[in-house]
């Protein structure tokens, strides 16, 4: 069992903690919006997701983690998708070289965040991600949700036609030739005139290639790869605990594994857990042989290591990542909660390149 590093909260401390909560009420669309310095959380994240009643995030300056305020994420049910902090966002300084017309074109294509800070390119470099995780006593067998995830950054201007052909456009071409005839919702194309699905799809990200989840009574890590240049939503693959995988999608373009899982009942509650990830994001390209998609072997160069309270609990290598041009970025909070709702506390996120490749 992973031992806790902090003492449990007493009842009196819990009451004081509730009084110290300060709700964060702004949200951003990181694909299209510019963030000002005073809106950035802890200097490296911005809030995204729902502002509806019952879906909240609070800053807590009393229950701190390594000198940082903690953040309590709370969703009452599954009627909303997310309340998270994103490490990827764009400031005015990031796009000061763009003309107003260029900015508007990126906003129209939902690609302004390509110029943002916080993204990680795919290479053989190791990236380190650290933060504090607090599992509340309310988590149980019914609890469900993603509490940390890494998301792909698609180019937003590559489409798959109804016949399966992949077409890459420049930004100006995409706006003038594609968006003049159709619009996209969750990556699916709709005709502007008829308002119905037209068979086109756009490169828009797909499933998160790496996620820390709660579900089926477990805390577990889910690792995915998607070799499609534009993700194929009809070729789905899922895997729930206690199954570990790996599992291949029906068309053979996607994989999933659950290389780490631990019963919630065996993990410390109401105390901080130090989380440290070391990840290598491999590059990949979709290739074709006689029109059949062939997995690029470089995807096998992915690596995920995880320490919890300085105990290594995962050392995994295999297929990892999406076939995206711009790499990945990190988010934590709550995504896709179960019907009974969920809450989680997180704090102190940092990411950096590992300079010493021999260091464990």
């Amino acid at each position: 069992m992973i031992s806790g590093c902090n003492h449990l909260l007493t009842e009196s401390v819990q009451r004081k903690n509730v009084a110290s909560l300060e709700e964060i009420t702004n949200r951003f669309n990181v694909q299209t919006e510019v963030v000002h310095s005073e809106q950035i959380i802890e200097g490296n994240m911005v809030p995204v997701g729902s502002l509806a009643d019952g879906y909240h995030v609070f800053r807590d300056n009393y229950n701190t983690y390594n000198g940082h305020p903690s953040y309590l994420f709370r969703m009452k049910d599954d009627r909303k998708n997310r309340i998270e902090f994103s490490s990827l966002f764009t400031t005015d300084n990031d796009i000061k070289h763009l003309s107003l017309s260029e900015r508007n074109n990126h906003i129209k294509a939902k690609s302004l965040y390509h110029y943002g800070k916080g993204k990680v390119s795919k290479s053989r470099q190791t990236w380190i991600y650290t933060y504090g995780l607090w599992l509340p006593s309310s988590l149980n067998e019914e609890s469900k949700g993603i509490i940390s995830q890494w998301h792909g950054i698609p180019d937003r201007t590559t489409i798959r036609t109804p016949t399966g052909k992949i077409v890459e456009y420049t930004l100006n071409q995409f706006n003038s030739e594609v968006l003049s005839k159709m619009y996209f919702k969750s990556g699916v194309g709709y005709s502007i005139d008829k308002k119905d699905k037209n068979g086109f799809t756009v490169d828009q990200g797909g499933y998160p290639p790496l996620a820390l989840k709660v579900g089926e009574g477990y805390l577990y890590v889910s690792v995915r790869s998607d070799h499609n240049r534009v993700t194929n939503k009809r070729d789905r693959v899922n895997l729930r605990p206690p199954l570990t995988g790996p599992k291949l999608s029906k068309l053979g373009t996607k994989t999933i594994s659950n290389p780490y899982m631990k019963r919630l009942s065996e993990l410390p509650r109401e105390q901080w857990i130090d989380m440290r990830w070391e990840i290598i994001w491999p590059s990949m390209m979709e290739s074709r042989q006689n029109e059949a998609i062939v997995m690029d072997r470089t995807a096998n160069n992915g690596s995920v290591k995880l320490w919890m309270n300085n105990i290594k609990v995962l050392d995994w290598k295999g297929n990892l990542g999406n076939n995206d041009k711009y790499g990945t970025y990190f988010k934590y909070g709550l995504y896709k909660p179960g019907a009974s709702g969920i809450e989680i506390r997180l704090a102190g996120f940092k990411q950096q390149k590992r300079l010493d490749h021999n260091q464990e």
Side-chain angles (χ1 to χ4, degrees):
M1 179 175 177
I2 299 169
S3 60
C5 58
N6 289 9
H7 60 78
L8 298 178
L9 282 182
T10 64
E11 185 177 349
S12 61
V13 171
Q14 288 177 352
R15 287 197 298 268
K16 188 172 183 180
N17 194 30
V18 170
S20 70
L21 298 180
E22 172 193 354
E23 184 164 7
I24 295 174
T25 57
N26 56 341
R27 303 286 189 271
F28 296 93
N29 183 331
V30 298
Q31 298 169 345
T32 61
E33 293 183 336
V34 174
V35 178
H36 301 293
S37 58
E38 67 274 11
Q39 299 168 321
I40 301 170
I41 305 294
E42 298 288 299
N44 60 5
M45 305 192 92
V46 297
V48 299
S50 175
L51 268 172
D53 186 41
Y55 310 91
H56 306 280
V57 57
F58 302 92
R59 178 188 288 111
D60 189 343
N61 291 310
Y62 182 77
N63 183 6
T64 60
Y65 172 76
N66 291 341
H68 295 272
S70 62
Y71 296 88
L72 176 63
F73 297 82
R74 181 178 294 158
M75 301 186 77
K76 66 178 182 179
D77 53 35
D78 59 356
R79 286 182 289 177
K80 300 296 180 182
N81 275 342
R82 76 173 76 244
I83 300 176
E84 297 176 294
F85 286 174
S86 168
S87 68
L88 176 58
F89 56 90
T90 306
T91 66
D92 276 320
N93 191 57
D94 297 322
I95 55 173
K96 63 183 180 181
H97 61 290
L98 297 180
S99 67
L100 180 59
S101 175
E102 289 171 327
R103 291 189 186 196
N104 289 335
N105 279 338
H106 279 289
I107 291 171
K108 188 175 181 181
K110 299 182 180 180
S111 59
L112 192 67
Y113 68 162
H114 290 167
Y115 295 96
K117 49 179 56 66
K119 61 181 180 290
V120 171
S121 61
K122 298 177 181 181
S123 66
R124 294 304 303 160
Q125 292 179 310
T126 298
W127 282 85
I128 300 172
Y129 305 82
T130 58
Y131 56 92
L133 169 65
W134 181 288
L135 300 175
S137 57
S138 59
L139 292 179
N140 55 41
E141 296 288 326
E142 302 299 319
S143 300
K144 176 185 175 183
I146 295 177
I147 57 179
S148 304
Q149 64 171 307
W150 287 259
H151 216 283
I153 310 174
D155 60 42
R156 312 290 309 191
T157 57
T158 299
I159 65 172
R160 185 189 300 273
T161 70
T163 62
K165 183 179 180 180
I166 303 299
V167 182
E168 296 186 17
Y169 291 89
T170 66
L171 177 63
N172 289 336
Q173 288 174 334
F174 182 76
N175 285 342
S176 62
E177 299 177 22
V178 178
L179 294 185
S180 61
K181 302 174 183 177
M182 66 188 79
Y183 64 95
F184 294 92
K185 185 177 180 180
S186 298
V188 177
Y190 292 79
S191 300
I192 289 179
D193 52 352
K194 297 181 180 180
K195 308 294 183 183
D196 57 355
K197 294 180 181 180
N198 60 10
F200 287 83
T201 55
V202 69
D203 181 29
Q204 62 96 44
Y207 285 100
L210 180 61
L212 181 66
K213 301 182 177 184
V214 171
E216 314 297 330
Y218 289 89
L219 179 73
Y220 67 104
V221 173
S222 177
V223 182
R224 292 177 176 269
S225 68
D226 182 349
H227 295 253
N228 295 288
R229 186 63 185 86
V230 177
T231 191
N232 184 350
K233 290 193 172 184
R234 292 173 294 180
D235 188 29
R236 298 177 182 270
V237 59
N238 290 294
L239 193 66
R240 295 180 178 178
L243 300 178
T244 59
K247 183 179 178 182
L248 189 65
S249 65
K250 288 184 178 180
L251 298 182
T253 66
K254 300 177 182 179
T255 64
I256 185 172
S257 299
N258 295 332
Y260 168 80
M261 60 185 66
K262 191 81 169 179
R263 279 282 181 186
L264 290 170
S265 59
E266 299 175 9
L267 291 165
R269 306 291 190 94
E270 302 294 344
Q271 54 191 287
W272 287 112
I273 301 173
D274 296 323
M275 305 291 290
R276 176 187 173 94
W277 303 76
E278 293 192 3
I279 303 171
I280 296 175
W281 298 102
S283 60
M284 69 173 77
M285 289 297 293
E286 178 186 289
S287 59
R288 290 181 177 269
Q289 295 178 5
N290 299 324
E291 295 304 312
I293 295 175
V294 179
M295 286 196 175
D296 188 332
R297 294 176 63 185
T298 59
N300 287 310
N301 294 332
S303 172
V304 180
K305 298 178 182 179
L306 171 62
W307 289 259
M308 299 174 68
N309 285 342
N310 297 316
I311 298 173
K312 183 186 279 189
V313 299
L314 177 62
D315 190 344
W316 176 91
K317 292 180 174 65
N319 290 321
L320 172 65
N322 297 341
N323 192 353
D324 290 331
K325 181 177 179 180
Y326 289 91
T328 63
Y329 68 101
F330 177 82
K331 294 188 289 185
Y332 68 19
L334 293 174
Y335 179 66
K336 294 284 188 180
S340 61
I342 187 174
E343 70 175 40
I344 205 78
R345 190 183 292 269
L346 297 149
F349 168 73
K350 295 179 182 178
Q351 72 177 29
Q352 61 183 348
K353 291 180 185 178
R354 196 180 75 183
L355 301 179
D356 179 5
H357 288 271
N358 295 317
Q359 180 183 348
E360 276 291 314

